[in-house]
Every structure is written in structure tokens, then in C-alpha cells.
Amino acid sequence: MRRYLVGGAVRDALLGLPVKERDWVVIGAQPEDLLAWGFKQVGRDFPVFLDPVCHEEHALARTERKSGRGYHGFTVNADPDVTLEEDLLRRDLTINAMAQSPDGTLIDPFNGQADLAARYLRHVSPAFAEDPVRILRVARFAARLAPLGFRIAAETRELMQAMVNAGEVDALVPERVWQELERALGEPCPERFIEELRHCGALKVLLPEVDRLFGVPQPPQYHPEIDTGIHTLLVLQQAVRRSTDPIVRFAALVHDLGKGNTPQHLLPKHHGHEQRGVSLIENLCQRLRAPRRYRELACLVAHYHTHAHRALELRPDTLLKTLEKLDALRKPQRFEDFLCACEADACGRPGYADRPYPQADYLRQALALCQNINPHPLTAQGLSGQAIAAALRSQRLQALRELASQTPA
């Protein structure tokens, strides 16, 4: 048996990045050999094993042949005579198709090291077109490596577009699309993921609600960028500056979906886009089977982000209703996430990136006042049930009236 370190561990080490996990390919062995040495098999579609000591993944060298549509339609050959170069040939990008022997020798049959130096994301072979997931992966690598200056090679972009035109993307299952989107949202430049999917035409298929935003005008006095799609990418960039949480970043991405179906005669204004956006987010999350926590925050941001922007102008009763609708008293951390996304929206415009957002602190003050009202004196008075709820609400409303009277509009 011969084993080689492969893929991301080799790539990241050459880039000087932290190596988070190490994967190995095994040449000249059969499953029975690894099982006899105490490895535990975990792969169902092809032979993957865990080292009994370090628990790192070891996969038998394999080739894949397209046998159907989508990314499940492959025939796998993991016979002992499969060579290292044949295994590397099936990989997606040249920078991921390098291996390293135990003595440190680099095996680079497809010039991955040269593409690392030139900062290119380039497909290894025409077999790239056999797996539509690779479109998502390449876009995600673009989002991850953008700070280092990486870009997708022209011929790879052309191949991705040809795959979309051939309908390959239609075969992607919702769970895999969501998995790649969620991972992309955690990358340093998730807006690049959206841009690259749009460039090859995949965004229109996978996230039509987001794709529809591009080219939709907004009032220039509030949005110097005018284009709603560009605004969305700017908001996502601002969310990245403020939070590492992909849930917050997802809310930023979809906060203005309602502007994508504003009736033409209303443009460039978007009256009612907040509620329209909620319906679109619910449909998108249901289609992609997104976790509930993503859907909940995104819907709240879509519905109430303009309330947040106008916080200093809200009447006390409207302010209290907003806090109640946001369930801010019971879920203060989600309320903070909401404020983060709203601030990203306000700053996601040319010239606004570093402007203060006093609305957030005002809303925090309002919540703190409501939290500080103690229900125990009301209980001591003999109140219970709805009577306590009404009295609490009355006291909170009075506290917000006092706050409003002390705060300049």
C-alpha cells in the first residue's frame, strides 16, 4: 500500500494557509486490506476509511465514469490498479489535483502549482462537466480565495456556462444546493459566490429570487448604486464586516427580495416590498429546505428592516409593537442579529459604508427599558394572567414615551 496526502491540505500548505483537515488517497490496496489494518469504512458510494489512530480520511484511488444525469449518475472503479494520476485526473480544479508523498515530494501532473502562483481556478479536464456540483464548488472557492486574488479561468467559466445551458444544474437536489450556499456564506467574500453563479447563468436556476434583483432600479437619492442587485451584494459585504454568522449573512442576502417583483408602474419606488419579500423568503427556504433559524431571522429582517431604519421616528406604540413582533424580550440575541443585518442594509450603499447607525442603539435602549420593568410588584398587587400582561405593556409603553421625549428625531 502507498498513501499520498491530497486535495485541500496540499493546496493550503502551499498557499501558507492553515491546514484544517488532511485527506489521503491509497494506491494498490483493496477494502479488505484497510479493514484488516483496523481502518473503519465510512463511505457508501465509494470506499472511504478512517484511520484508527488519527481518524483522518483515507480513500482508495478511484476513477469515475458518467452513467446518468446529475451528480449521482457515476460508475466508480476503485480497483488496486488505479494509479495516482488517474485518481487526480477526476478532481475538479488543478489546485486541488496535487498530491504529496510521505517524504514530502509533490506530485503535480496538471500544473496546479503554476495555477496557484497565477491565482487561477482552472478545471482539470473536460470530465469537470459531468458533475454539476462543481459549479457550486468553484463559485465557493472563488468566495474563499478572493482575498488572495484568485479568479476563475476563462475556459472554466465557459464550461460552467455550457453545463448550465445543457440543463445539468436542474438535476441538483435542494439539500446540496443549500449545503454549498451555507458554506459559501461562511467564506470571506460570499458575494463572489453569487456573482460567479450569475455569470454562468446558474443563479437564475438555483436562486431566481436573487437573480431577479439585478437590473431593478431604486430611488437614486437613497440608493446611489440604483441597481437592487448591486445593493444586495454591497449589503452582504457589510454583513461580512459585522458578523461571521452565516444566518445573519443569509438575512442580508435576501432582505430585499420583494423588490424583485415590484410592479413596473411603481418603479423606482418599492412600496410594500417588505411583506412581498417575506413570502419569497418562505418559498425559497422551503424549496431549499433551509433550517428554520435561517428562515425566521431572514423573514424578520425583510419585514421590519424599514422599521429599524425609521426607529427614531416611530411612535412609542409602534416601537413597542415592533419589539413584540420581533420577540425581542424573549430572544435578545436574535434581536442583535436583526440589528446587525439592518445596519448592513443601511451601510450597503456607496458612501455609506462607515456611517453611524444610531437607530441600533436607540432600539437597544428601548428593549433595555422594557426588560427592566419588573412584573413582581404587579403580582404582589394580586394581578394575574391577562391583567399582568396589560399592566406590563402599559408600563413599557410609558417608558418608551419618556425615551421618545428625550431623544431628538
Side-chain angles (χ1 to χ4, degrees), residues 82-116:
V82 175
T83 67
L84 176 60
E85 184 169 328
E86 286 175 327
D87 181 271
L88 296 176
L89 179 64
R90 68 172 176 78
R91 297 175 184 268
D92 50 7
L93 297 173
T94 60
I95 64 171
N96 296 330
M98 295 180 286
Q100 189 177 58
S101 65
D103 66 3
T105 302
L106 184 69
I107 297 93
D108 181 18
F110 307 109
N111 300 314
Q113 194 170 16
D115 279 339
L116 278 183

Side-chain angles (χ1 to χ4, degrees), residues 149-165:
F150 275 82
R151 58 206 182 279
I152 299 176
E155 61 268 33
T156 301
R157 276 182 161 176
E158 291 173 5
L159 184 55
M160 292 165 64
Q161 188 169 10
M163 292 168 66
V164 173
N165 294 340

Side-chain angles (χ1 to χ4, degrees), residues 126-137:
F128 178 98
E130 296 177 350
D131 186 354
V133 171
R134 289 176 168 175
I135 292 176
L136 297 170
R137 279 176 52 82

